[in-house]
Amino acid sequence: MLNLISLIVGVVTLPIMLVGLVPLLGWINYLVIPMAIVGLVLGVLSSSNTGRNLNIVVLIIGAVRLSLGGFIF
C-alpha cells in the first residue's frame, strides 16, 4: 500500500519537475524536492522498490536542475 502511495506521489511530481526544467521556471523545483522526499520516505517504508526509485530519480534531477540554476532560477 505504501509503495502505491509512493508511486502516485512520484507520478504526480514527475510532470511538475519537467515543467521546472524550463528556463525561468526552476523555482518550481523548490516545491518538487519536498514532495519527492515525502514519496521517497513512503517508498523506503514499503516492501517494494518501484516508488522509491521513481522518487529518487525525480529528486536527483530536480536538485541538479536547481543547482545548475544557482539555486535562484
Side-chain angles (χ1 to χ4, degrees):
M1 185 66 179
L2 287 175
N3 187 45
L4 180 63
I5 296 171
S6 174
L7 197 58
I8 290 171
V9 169
V11 168
V12 168
T13 307
L14 182 64
I16 299 170
M17 185 267 308
L18 291 175
V19 171
L21 293 176
V22 175
L24 298 177
L25 292 178
W27 57 270
I28 292 175
N29 289 313
Y30 282 115
L31 303 174
V32 168
I33 290 174
M35 290 170 48
I37 289 173
V38 169
L40 179 63
V41 168
L42 291 173
V44 167
L45 294 175
S46 72
S47 60
S48 184
N49 295 336
T50 310
R52 183 195 64 187
N53 293 343
L54 176 63
N55 284 298
I56 287 173
V57 169
V58 170
L59 183 65
I60 289 173
I61 293 173
V64 167
R65 167 60 178 97
L66 199 58
S67 68
L68 286 176
F71 298 100
I72 298 172
F73 295 109

